[in-house]
Amino acid sequence: MVEGAAVRAGTSGTVGGRKVKKQAERTDMYEILKGMRVVEGASFIAAPICCQHLVGLGAEVIRFDMIGGGPDFNRWPIAPSGLSLYWESLNKGKKSVAIDLASREGRELAIAIATAPGEAGGLFVTNYPVEGFLAHERLARRRADMITVRVMGWADGRSGVDYTINAVTGLPGMTGPAALADGEPVNHVLPAWDLIAGSYAAFALLAAERRRRDTGQGGEVLVPLSDVAATSLGHTGMIAEAIVGGADRARVGNDLFGALGRDFATADGRRLMLVAITPKQWTSLVEALDIAATVSAIEAELGGSFAREGDRYRHRSRLFDVIARAAGSLTLDEAAARLDRTGACWSIYRPLSQAITEEPGFVAGNPVFAERAHPAGHAYPTPGAAGTFPGLDRASAPRAPRLGEHTDEVLADLLGMSSGEIARLHDAGTVAGPTH
Amino acid sequence: MVEGAAVRAGTSGTVGGRKVKKQAERTDMYEILKGMRVVEGASFIAAPICCQHLVGLGAEVIRFDMIGGGPDFNRWPIAPSGLSLYWESLNKGKKSVAIDLASREGRELAIAIATAPGEAGGLFVTNYPVEGFLAHERLARRRADMITVRVMGWADGRSGVDYTINAVTGLPGMTGPAALADGEPVNHVLPAWDLIAGSYAAFALLAAERRRRDTGQGGEVLVPLSDVAATSLGHTGMIAEAIVGGADRARVGNDLFGALGRDFATADGRRLMLVAITPKQWTSLVEALDIAATVSAIEAELGGSFAREGDRYRHRSRLFDVIARAAGSLTLDEAAARLDRTGACWSIYRPLSQAITEEPGFVAGNPVFAERAHPAGHAYPTPGAAGTFPGLDRASAPRAPRLGEHTDEVLADLLGMSSGEIARLHDAGTVAGPTH
């Protein structure tokens, strides 16, 4: 069960009483955070994404899971092999340790891994409940400078996931075709709150670690999805809007609120997203579509100024008519040439499968991605860090571990266990190596 | 024009040749990042949100804008006073400097502010183009350890905003009522890519600064919305899904993909979001709605196991019927009592205005928010940091500055300019104090 264990490149040895074949596995990306060791005890999106960002900048991330997989191990999308494309995409480049977390000894092991000594360790990212065996106070008793970043649903500990939090934001009532009945909700497909919480948690972890470097003090950081959502609505002015305006924002279909933007069809049946928020974007769009005269006439008739985004929004139906006519008289290629020539802000609506192969620089031809084979049995474009540090070596995107692939390595190297101790834990069913 | 300048609490003096009335203004929140000084030269959402996160943890953020406001200064929503609720919500607790950025001297001033000396300075967050007067290389010539975090549209420098990037992700074709025609896009209302990019940029800034502390080296970090979107789709398995499955995810309305979740109506006409991704969430839901017998009968009939989220998704239409009947026979209060008793994962769809006042712990009664008056002329619940550090003093949420409110303070304190020099810059129209 340990023959596939990926251990530090160039080393070799015996683990768990068996000869281990070592792989020269490059799991780091940038080396910005090299030397930092983070332990992840988590499931689903936000906390794993947090650690995926850390992996992307070169931190070592050790993830522990229940033997056989936690509640997210079989989450869709799944591959024909039955393994989850979701799980492997969220855990690339992490070391995977499989532990029986229902047993007392297994829980002790998880705590020992999270609190293992080392200057750049003592960093734990989790979505386990505030109370319970992975409570921060318990960990801090083992390691005084422990930092725990805990993603939560609701701030008060109530169960909440991206999709239930999203329902209270009011956004489902503002999304979708204007013809839908008031109060008919339209859910989002992108788990936006999870993704925002994930990158915020990575930020909060580095902030807490910076403070620890200066003061020696650890501590806990709570990142509830409910607070991530509420503060996002606050920071973007939507809470102010609801209170000052005394009303909820109306559903306006695909119209961009407060400026000019919408989808438009081309003569050959493609669909464009055209946006003019800034004056520069507006003049570029007008020039590209050659509609200056018509627009001026409407401006003169209405007495506003379309140099102001608010006037473009107020009178958008008039402008949409003009733009729809202009865009509808051009093929996609013709429109693209004109819009690019003037530097307009636009894009083509694409199904994801087409975006992956055809959208220049999005996935294909993007150095952020590398083709990589993963345990579910397929190779596909695999992303590294979202940020680019010009001049530094990005290296290649890491593959996902097999569940339990690094169990023995972590027990030996991090906890200093002997082969005999590790073998005993296997025999007792307290830990497991890779089984798939 | 400087009489309202909010200068450091407890000090007083003469600036720009005029006596300055000092305010005891508390603009910090947590003090996790106290001492760190970040300069923001940016507009719209992602970069300002990045700095809003930094403000929330106690960093000093100095934002410079064009005199009279940049391209985002009048962005909707706007207050009856004509001032933007959007701008002020995105710039709370920042120091505002107004500069004529079209002039050579104004640009020099912006560069001098961004590159001002000080161990915890030399941090610049921007969405200005890679080339141009705020290019990283130019700043690094002034300050060798400069760190520039640059939010971009497309990674290759093409114009792109949240709404155009979103069009290429394929998500608009997966969102909204299943009855919509294939290819009919549904835009999102939440600028999700901006918000993810904003928190990722804050993470990347701290990562770069951590490296600088260890090595003395600065550098640039590019955070393109296109890469934020593409990596998010990759990290959550959607790129793997499109490639391995060979097809795009179908539009399934409000159904949660791969598990069980949807909106359901109550007997009194309210709408619930009910979710069962984990086994625990499923058993809690079944128990709350008292549908165990019916569910078992369907399970026996179909031969699957609803303990597996994939089987719940495959057979969701059968399960939705049962749940819709059960939820539809209960009032909201009855359903809430049952769902809370079993610890189910659920929420109520609310318009935002109602969520602000009625959703427990979301905004009202949430210590993350404080009622605060802002320059547009209204007081409203104002968020601080999304993360909570138990045991540390959160202090109160900061108000937004008036545009140019801190011009004189920054010129005097950061650049060490004399009153005479500052007065000359005012007279030349190179800088301005607050005008509203």
Side-chain angles (χ1 to χ4, degrees):
Chain A
M1 80 188 72
V2 290
E3 63 184 14
V7 190
R8 288 155 309 176
T11 66
S12 74
T14 307
V15 172
R18 300 160 198 99
K19 181 83 182 167
V20 176
K21 190 176 173 298
K22 310 275 182 168
Q23 299 175 350
E25 182 81 36
R26 176 109 195 218
T27 55
D28 57 342
M29 297 275 306
Y30 286 123
E31 297 191 342
I32 319 286
L33 297 179
K34 192 174 181 179
M36 178 180 276
R37 189 186 67 235
V38 180
V39 175
E40 173 184 332
S43 54
F44 297 107
I45 300 180
I49 277 277
C50 165
C51 291
Q52 199 63 74
H53 292 322
L54 296 166
V55 167
L57 297 193
E60 177 187 15
V61 173
I62 299 168
R63 169 168 165 135
F64 62 76
D65 275 284
M66 183 68 189
I67 292 174
D72 60 347
F73 190 64
N74 298 305
R75 187 91 170 82
W76 283 31
I78 51 172
S81 65
L83 288 173
S84 170
L85 298 167
Y86 170 98
W87 190 90
E88 69 178 21
S89 293
L90 279 159
N91 294 304
K92 303 177 297 288
K94 302 177 187 175
K95 292 181 178 168
S96 173
V97 180
I99 305 177
D100 175 14
L101 294 168
S103 72
R104 210 184 61 81
E105 190 169 23
R107 292 183 168 200
E108 279 300 312
L109 215 49
I111 292 169
I113 291 170
T115 60
E119 201 194 336
L123 300 167
F124 182 52
V125 177
T126 189
N127 67 337
Y128 271 81
V130 172
E131 313 289 341
F133 81 101
L134 292 168
H136 175 73
E137 292 66 28
R138 285 193 174 210
L139 303 179
R141 249 178 266 141
R142 298 289 189 89
R143 182 172 171 147
D145 69 345
M146 191 72 200
I147 291 172
T148 305
V149 175
R150 192 178 307 272
V151 173
M152 307 170 69
W154 283 89
D156 64 4
R158 270 180 297 148
S159 176
V161 296
D162 180 279
Y163 316 95
T164 55
I165 299 294
N166 192 51
V168 310
T169 62
L171 295 168
M174 306 177 197
T175 306
L180 280 182
D182 260 11
E184 193 67 32
V186 172
N187 287 357
H188 64 190
V189 173
L190 182 78
W193 306 119
D194 276 331
L195 291 166
I196 300 166
S199 47
Y200 186 89
F203 158 67
L205 180 135
L206 290 190
E209 199 250 358
R210 185 180 191 273
R211 174 171 173 266
R212 185 174 76 177
R213 286 182 139 202
D214 287 343
T215 67
Q217 294 185 300
E220 187 170 22
V221 193
L222 307 175
V223 182
L225 295 182
S226 58
D227 286 343
V228 166
T231 56
S232 295
L233 297 172
H235 292 332
T236 52
M238 294 188 76
I239 288 176
E241 177 188 7
I243 288 180
V244 173
D248 289 294
R249 191 183 292 185
R251 182 178 259 147
V252 293
N254 284 343
D255 304 1
L256 191 158
F257 175 78
L260 190 121
R262 210 194 70 183
D263 60 299
F264 294 92
T266 62
D268 48 351
R270 298 298 294 274
R271 193 81 68 127
L272 309 177
M273 179 70 194
L274 302 179
V275 167
I277 301 174
T278 66
K280 158 84 175 63
Q281 289 167 353
W282 174 237
T283 53
S284 299
L285 181 65
V286 168
E287 190 189 335
L289 297 180
D290 198 13
I291 53 174
T294 323
V295 163
S296 293
I298 299 175
E299 218 163 15
E301 176 198 333
L302 298 172
S305 166
F306 294 144
R308 288 194 291 265
E309 72 268 38
D311 280 355
R312 292 199 293 278
Y313 185 65
R314 281 192 195 92
H315 302 298
R316 66 189 182 281
S317 69
R318 292 291 297 277
L319 293 173
F320 286 160
D321 288 346
V322 177
I323 296 166
R325 243 189 335 267
S329 72
L330 302 168
T331 63
L332 174 63
D333 287 349
E334 290 165 350
R338 284 161 170 250
L339 292 160
D340 279 342
R341 199 187 60 234
T342 65
C345 187
W346 73 287
S347 63
I348 306 170
Y349 281 90
R350 295 188 188 276
L352 177 55
S353 60
Q354 186 191 87
I356 291 168
T357 52
E358 294 183 25
E359 180 65 44
F362 190 59
V363 174
N366 185 348
V368 166
F369 283 80
E371 187 83 3
R372 201 89 163 87
H374 294 279
H378 303 270
Y380 46 82
T382 301
T388 291
F389 294 71
L392 299 185
D393 181 18
R394 177 177 272 280
S396 69
R399 77 159 168 87
R402 293 186 290 156
L403 185 68
E405 180 171 334
H406 306 90
T407 298
D408 292 3
E409 176 193 337
V410 169
L411 297 182
D413 292 355
L414 186 67
L415 299 188
M417 286 187 173
S418 70
S419 305
E421 289 175 282
I422 295 172
R424 190 190 62 74
L425 288 169
H426 277 283
D427 293 342
T430 306
V431 303
T435 51
H436 62 269
Chain B
M1 80 189 71
V2 290
E3 63 185 11
V7 191
R8 287 156 309 175
T11 66
S12 73
T14 306
V15 172
R18 301 161 198 95
K19 182 81 182 165
V20 175
K21 188 174 173 299
K22 310 277 182 166
Q23 299 175 353
E25 182 82 34
R26 176 107 194 221
T27 54
D28 58 341
M29 298 275 306
Y30 285 123
E31 298 192 341
I32 320 286
L33 297 178
K34 192 172 180 179
M36 178 179 276
R37 189 185 67 234
V38 180
V39 175
E40 173 185 332
S43 54
F44 297 108
I45 299 180
I49 278 278
C50 164
C51 290
Q52 199 65 73
H53 292 321
L54 296 166
V55 167
L57 297 192
E60 177 188 15
V61 174
I62 299 168
R63 170 169 164 134
F64 63 76
D65 273 285
M66 183 69 190
I67 292 174
D72 60 346
F73 190 64
N74 299 305
R75 187 92 169 80
W76 284 30
I78 51 173
S81 65
L83 287 173
S84 169
L85 297 167
Y86 171 98
W87 190 89
E88 69 179 21
S89 293
L90 280 160
N91 294 303
K92 302 176 298 289
K94 302 177 186 174
K95 293 181 177 169
S96 173
V97 180
I99 305 176
D100 175 14
L101 294 168
S103 72
R104 211 185 62 81
E105 190 168 24
R107 292 183 167 201
E108 279 300 313
L109 214 50
I111 292 169
I113 290 170
T115 61
E119 200 194 337
L123 300 167
F124 182 51
V125 177
T126 189
N127 67 336
Y128 272 82
V130 172
E131 312 290 340
F133 81 100
L134 291 169
H136 175 72
E137 292 65 29
R138 285 192 174 210
L139 303 179
R141 251 178 264 140
R142 298 292 187 88
R143 183 175 169 143
D145 69 346
M146 191 73 199
I147 291 172
T148 304
V149 175
R150 192 177 307 271
V151 173
M152 306 170 69
W154 283 90
D156 63 4
R158 272 179 297 148
S159 177
V161 296
D162 180 279
Y163 315 96
T164 56
I165 299 294
N166 192 53
V168 310
T169 62
L171 296 168
M174 305 176 198
T175 306
L180 280 180
D182 260 12
E184 191 69 30
V186 173
N187 287 356
H188 64 189
V189 173
L190 182 76
W193 307 119
D194 276 331
L195 291 167
I196 300 167
S199 46
Y200 186 89
F203 158 66
L205 181 135
L206 290 191
E209 199 249 0
R210 186 181 190 274
R211 174 171 172 266
R212 186 175 74 178
R213 286 181 141 203
D214 286 343
T215 67
Q217 294 185 298
E220 186 169 24
V221 194
L222 306 176
V223 182
L225 294 182
S226 58
D227 285 344
V228 166
T231 56
S232 295
L233 298 172
H235 292 332
T236 53
M238 295 187 74
I239 288 177
E241 177 188 6
I243 288 180
V244 173
D248 288 294
R249 191 182 291 185
R251 182 177 258 148
V252 291
N254 285 342
D255 304 1
L256 191 159
F257 174 78
L260 189 122
R262 209 195 71 184
D263 60 301
F264 294 92
T266 62
D268 49 351
R270 299 296 295 273
R271 193 81 70 130
L272 308 177
M273 179 70 193
L274 302 179
V275 167
I277 301 174
T278 67
K280 159 84 176 65
Q281 289 167 354
W282 174 237
T283 53
S284 299
L285 181 65
V286 167
E287 190 190 335
L289 297 181
D290 198 13
I291 53 175
T294 323
V295 163
S296 292
I298 299 175
E299 221 162 13
E301 177 197 334
L302 298 172
S305 166
F306 295 145
R308 289 194 290 266
E309 71 268 37
D311 280 353
R312 292 199 293 279
Y313 184 66
R314 281 191 195 94
H315 302 299
R316 65 189 183 281
S317 69
R318 292 291 297 275
L319 293 173
F320 286 159
D321 287 346
V322 177
I323 296 166
R325 245 191 331 268
S329 72
L330 302 169
T331 64
L332 173 63
D333 287 349
E334 290 165 350
R338 284 161 169 248
L339 293 160
D340 279 342
R341 198 188 60 234
T342 65
C345 187
W346 73 287
S347 63
I348 306 169
Y349 281 90
R350 296 188 187 276
L352 178 54
S353 60
Q354 186 191 89
I356 291 168
T357 54
E358 292 182 26
E359 180 64 43
F362 191 59
V363 174
N366 185 349
V368 166
F369 283 80
E371 188 83 5
R372 201 88 163 88
H374 293 279
H378 303 271
Y380 48 82
T382 302
T388 290
F389 295 70
L392 299 184
D393 181 17
R394 178 176 271 281
S396 70
R399 77 159 170 86
R402 294 185 289 155
L403 185 69
E405 181 172 332
H406 307 90
T407 299
D408 292 4
E409 175 194 337
V410 170
L411 297 182
D413 293 355
L414 186 67
L415 300 187
M417 286 189 174
S418 70
S419 304
E421 290 175 283
I422 294 171
R424 189 190 64 73
L425 289 169
H426 277 284
D427 292 343
T430 307
V431 302
T435 51
H436 62 269

